[in-house]
Amino acid sequence: MRLHRLRVTAFGPFGGTQEVDFDALSAAGLFLLHGATGAGKTSVLDAVCYALYGAVPGARQSPGATLRSDHAAPDTVTEVLLDLTVGGRRLEITRRPQQNRPKKRGTGFTAEKAQTWLREYDARDGVWEALSRSHQEVGEEIGQLVGMSREQFCQVVLLPQGDFAKFLRSDAEARGKLLGRLFDTGRFAAVEERLAELRRAAEQQVRTGDERLLALAQRMAQAAGDGADARDWPLPDHRPGEPGLAEAVLEWAAVARVGARERLAVAECAVTAAESRQAAARIALDDERRLAELQRRYADARRRADDLAAAEPRRAAVRDRLDRARKADLVAPALVLRAETEREHQAAATAHERSRALLPPDLAEAGADQLGALERQMRQELGALDAARRAEARSAEITAERAELDRQARADEQLLLDAAGWLASWEGDRRRHQERIDAAHQATARTEQLAGRLEPARRRLAAARERDALHARVAAAEERQSAARERVNAAHEHWLALREERLRGIAAELAAGLRDGEACAVCGSPEHPAPARATTGQVDRATEEAAHEAHRQAEAARAEAERALASVRERFAAASAEAGTETLAALDGQVRAWDAEYRDSRALAAGLHAAREAFESAEREHARRLAQQREADKRVSARTARREEIDREQAALERELAAARGEARSVAEQAALLEHRAGLLAGAAEAVREVEATAQRLKDADGRLSEAAFRAGFDTPRAAAEAFLDDRQQRELQHRLDEWQREEAAVADRLAEPATVAASARPAARTEQAEAAHARVERALREAASVLAAARARCAELVRLGREATAETRRIGPLREEYDRVARLAGLTAGTSADNERKMRLESYVLAARLEQVAAAATARLSRMSGGRYTLVHSDARGGRGRSGLGLHVVDAWTGRERDTATLSGGETFFASLALALGLADVVTDEAGGVRLDTLFIDEGFGSLDDQALDEVLDVLDALRERDRSVGIVSHVGDLRRRIPTQLEIVKERSGSEVRHRSADAGE
């Protein structure tokens, strides 16, 4: 990686735009970066780091810090641009951090997001091509090309001597943190942590299994109860995780099951004895209950016999009442007839009273004949009104006809108004229809014209698209053809070189085939006193032929690349000829415009048929409106004559109706009044006749009732009516008599039972004593059964829990084995295992190998800077109570002793830290994929050196330049300004720092 140019604007201490030409500085190989304290020397390195990674080194990336210069004007944008070559590609990175800028409208500031641009230089065309503006894409691209993280870059390219001096004096823990960041050994720490997590998880699983076993043991202890065997054999006192716990629990469970089975056998014997006692007590109880029941039946029968004797008077009364009711049944038809007749007479009288209330007072006492005569008179008057009704109906028809004529007149009047309005606008409508037809004709012509232009334009647009697409393919094909040509030249030169080398050693090749006594193929001599010998790296015939074959294949590839290039160029030329010189955007815009105009013209032309139909429809409507206007005028004249005729007819009818209506408003009303009065008179006459008829029928019914009561044996009709009972009442009395008879028979049967009579002669039954004795033995049986059930449940529970304990023991067996294996591995990688003699963690072991590589690379430079006195060696010895693996010692060749790097003096520490930094840069570079670093920076530490030591250090740094590297020294040491002519000076000003380039030939 080589830096070419750096441009910073409003960044750090730089208020304006400053540019650093690294190509000019690198030309000398070694340059000095100096300036006053706080001028911004480190800010130049921060800008390089920010351009590459979007952040400054971690020590200066404090929270809340801003990269924008306080000296910058408000409208100046903070920006960093870096031009560099990395991975064989010339790139330009531009970054702008998040910053506030003045608002374009109004006052105040607005936040502007961070921005990134990445461009690549095309050497063939001499232009910069944009690659990306995405932060993520740019970061990934730079990370892949550089091959280092930001922390690695800051340690490898920006070598901070102070940090490495601390590294030399720090303990193993601090060294491990720095090396871990540089060599990305987090995966080994993750392995340690993962194994520790697995160990904790396995331990937790084993402890959980043991806790479940102990819980099962506690449950078995609860199930076994507090027996003598439980007191003699207590639970095991093991804790979760202790060995032997499972065996102890299983052994205790077996003992508990044996004791439970013994108690079960005792409980079964006790239940058998209790059942025998309960059966005997049950038989005695049943005997006493049967005796008590017979004695109760006898006493109940005697009580019921006494009740029947006391109820005999009531029984005779019921029988007499039933006999009188059956006699009254003979008078029932006369009673029913008399009641119905009385109801009819009452209804007729009520109707007569209602009709009298509707008659005038002078007719209230009129008889049926008088009322009938008045009704007939009113009927005659009603018949005389028929002619008047017909006249009134005709008058109504005339009124309806006049209303219809008025409605028709209004409709014709509106029709005439509409027709006049429509006809008044006819000329304008006719003109608009004609204009629409003309416009459609013009659009049809325009559509045909545009259709002829569009097709060629579309072909040119397609050709332009193909031309632009083929342009990139032509460039790619040219690059492939050029690369193929270079490969052919290289293969040809390689083949010729091998051939020339083989010809130089052809004597040795021929000598290899010589045999004693056989003639030489060159000179023919059978003697070979001094045959040529093959030298190291001798080229044989197979190697030359392989190189020749590679040349032929490269030549074939070049020919194929040239054919592909010619094909692409031919297609590109054809597309360019078809498309012309216009751009794709111009052709696309022209086609879009013509296509839009074509669609509009086509849509307008499509309306020609509709416009013609609309015009024809309008002409038909014009003719229809004129016809309607003429017809309406004719109807107006006819209606006027008809209205005069019906007016005369209605006047004559009105004179006739006035005489017929009388005081009523209409003939119908007068007829309704007469009809109502006739109806009232007819109803009143009918009511009088009905009252007289029902009174006569009531008198006849009273006579028949008196005769029937006498024949049935009753003194009066009232006595017969009082003795009458309906069927339901008679059934109830008969049912009572039947019940008394059945009760009497049942009591006689029970008093005749021998067992009942015999039980009544025995002493009273002792049921309570028998029940108490039975309850005692029943309770004893339940207690024995409860003990037996508990014993059975205890045995079943202990068996079930024993199975669970056995299954749990089998389940945690593999878990315990897994835990033992993982615990051994975790202890070994964590450095806590006894097998790990040096107590070295896995990550420390890997870092120790890296540190050994760094020490070996640093020793080559330290030996030169110290005149062969010092070398760095890695040590894996333990220091005190700490862990081993990251020790670093220095070997003094003058004394032959090895000592810790913390004992070095200030100048010696600078030698060692510089050598360590350069060695670390080499190792990290190889670790990152071998990316070549052509620009390095070394920060401070030179003030502790004397003149000779400074010369030796500069010789080492100058040796880096021999490999086409450039080294920048960041230092305050004044003597370096004399020794290093090429300088980059940072000058502090009130408006911000400035950058000045100095060289041996020129000033600034």
Side-chain angles (χ1 to χ4, degrees), residues 341 345 348 687-700:
T341 304
H345 180 67
V688 171
R689 286 191 289 269
E690 183 63 24
V691 167
E692 294 173 351
T694 55
Q696 182 61 40
R697 288 197 298 272
L698 181 60
K699 182 178 179 182
D700 296 340

Side-chain angles (χ1 to χ4, degrees), residues 701-784:
D702 286 338
R704 286 194 292 271
L705 177 60
S706 298
E707 183 180 359
F710 178 75
R711 284 197 302 270
F714 293 99
D715 297 335
T716 62
R718 180 180 294 278
E722 291 176 352
F724 179 77
L725 294 175
D726 57 19
D727 293 341
R728 182 184 61 78
Q729 292 172 330
Q730 291 185 22
R731 285 195 300 272
E732 290 179 354
L733 293 177
Q734 184 63 45
H735 181 68
R736 291 174 63 186
L737 292 174
D738 295 341
E739 285 292 331
W740 274 322
Q741 186 176 1
R742 284 193 295 271
E743 178 68 11
E744 187 176 16
V747 168
D749 291 341
R750 184 166 294 181
L751 291 176
E753 293 176 354
T756 303
V757 174
S760 64
R762 294 176 62 183
R766 294 181 295 176
T767 308
E768 294 180 357
Q769 292 84 346
E771 288 179 348
H774 179 268
R776 285 193 299 272
V777 297
E778 186 75 21
R779 185 166 53 254
L781 176 60
R782 286 197 300 270
E783 291 175 357

Side-chain angles (χ1 to χ4, degrees), residues 659-671:
R661 281 195 298 265
E663 297 178 358
R665 290 189 297 271
S666 64
V667 174
E669 183 179 352
Q670 179 67 14

